[in-house]
Amino acid sequence: MARTFLFLGALNGLLAVVLGAFGAHILKARLSADLMAVYHTANEYHFYHALALLLIGIVALQFPESRPLKWAGWLMLVGIVLFSGSLYLLAVTGTRWLGAITPLGGLAFIAGWLLLAIGTWVALR
């Protein structure tokens, strides 16, 4: 489990940097200020949660059998796909209905952070 989340965190960190550079250098001249702000939000949360995946991987090295940590990692990944992914697509395509998916990703992030807290609390007792 630890290796999986360390890999996913590193991969998502890479993607966040690439997509951030794409936004800054290519999309900046093509998107409105409003859509560029949406893209920036997607990228910011993508980066934060890539780091969260790395954190979960590091904690999982100490507690490899923790089910809450395992679920926390998968929920962070789901959150990245749904939250950041929907906002990236909304910004690039202008398709507003994609914004309806974003809160599901936000809920996945919240649940992931909660399970990370529970997992570490239980493991350190």
Side-chain angles (χ1 to χ4, degrees), residues 86-87 90 95-103:
S86 67
L87 290 180
L90 187 155
T95 307
R96 296 283 176 190
W97 69 264
L98 288 165
I101 297 169
T102 308

Coordinates of all heavy atoms in Angstrom, one line a residue, residues 86-87 90 95-103:
S86 N -12.5 17.7 -13.1 CA -13.7 18.4 -13.7 C -13.4 19.9 -13.9 O -13.9 20.5 -14.8 CB -14.9 18.2 -12.7 OG -14.7 18.8 -11.5
L87 N -12.6 20.5 -13.0 CA -12.3 21.9 -13.1 C -11.3 22.2 -14.3 O -11.5 23.1 -15.0 CB -11.7 22.5 -11.8 CG -12.7 22.6 -10.7 CD1 -12.0 23.2 -9.5 CD2 -13.9 23.5 -11.1
L90 N -13.6 21.9 -17.3 CA -14.5 23.0 -17.4 C -13.7 24.2 -17.9 O -14.2 24.9 -18.8 CB -15.0 23.3 -16.0 CG -16.1 24.4 -15.9 CD1 -17.0 24.2 -14.7 CD2 -15.6 25.8 -15.9
T95 N -17.4 23.9 -20.7 CA -18.7 23.2 -20.4 C -19.0 23.3 -19.0 O -18.4 22.6 -18.1 CB -18.4 21.7 -20.8 OG1 -17.9 21.6 -22.2 CG2 -19.7 20.9 -20.7
R96 N -20.0 24.1 -18.7 CA -20.4 24.4 -17.3 C -21.0 23.2 -16.5 O -20.8 23.2 -15.3 CB -21.4 25.6 -17.3 CG -20.8 26.8 -17.8 CD -19.9 27.5 -16.8 NE -19.3 28.7 -17.4 CZ -18.3 29.3 -16.8 NH1 -17.9 28.9 -15.6 NH2 -17.8 30.4 -17.3
W97 N -21.6 22.3 -17.1 CA -22.2 21.2 -16.3 C -21.1 20.4 -15.6 O -21.4 19.7 -14.6 CB -23.1 20.3 -17.2 CG -22.4 19.5 -18.2 CD1 -22.2 19.8 -19.5 CD2 -21.7 18.2 -18.0 NE1 -21.5 18.8 -20.1 CE2 -21.2 17.8 -19.2 CE3 -21.6 17.4 -16.9 CZ2 -20.5 16.6 -19.4 CZ3 -20.9 16.2 -17.1 CH2 -20.3 15.8 -18.3
L98 N -19.9 20.4 -16.0 CA -18.8 19.7 -15.4 C -18.6 20.2 -13.9 O -18.2 19.5 -13.1 CB -17.5 19.9 -16.1 CG -17.4 19.1 -17.4 CD1 -16.3 19.6 -18.3 CD2 -17.3 17.6 -17.2
G99 N -19.1 21.5 -13.7 CA -19.0 22.0 -12.3 C -19.9 21.2 -11.3 O -19.6 21.3 -10.1
A100 N -20.8 20.5 -11.8 CA -21.7 19.7 -11.0 C -20.9 18.5 -10.4 O -21.3 17.9 -9.3 CB -22.9 19.2 -11.7
I101 N -19.9 18.1 -11.0 CA -19.1 16.9 -10.6 C -18.1 17.3 -9.5 O -17.8 16.6 -8.6 CB -18.3 16.3 -11.8 CG1 -19.3 15.8 -12.8 CG2 -17.3 15.2 -11.3 CD1 -18.7 15.4 -14.1
T102 N -17.7 18.6 -9.5 CA -16.6 19.1 -8.6 C -16.9 18.9 -7.2 O -16.0 18.4 -6.4 CB -16.4 20.6 -8.9 OG1 -16.2 20.8 -10.3 CG2 -15.2 21.1 -8.1
P103 N -18.1 19.1 -6.7 CA -18.4 18.9 -5.2 C -18.2 17.4 -4.8 O -17.9 17.2 -3.6 CB -19.8 19.3 -5.0 CG -20.1 20.3 -6.2 CD -19.3 19.8 -7.3

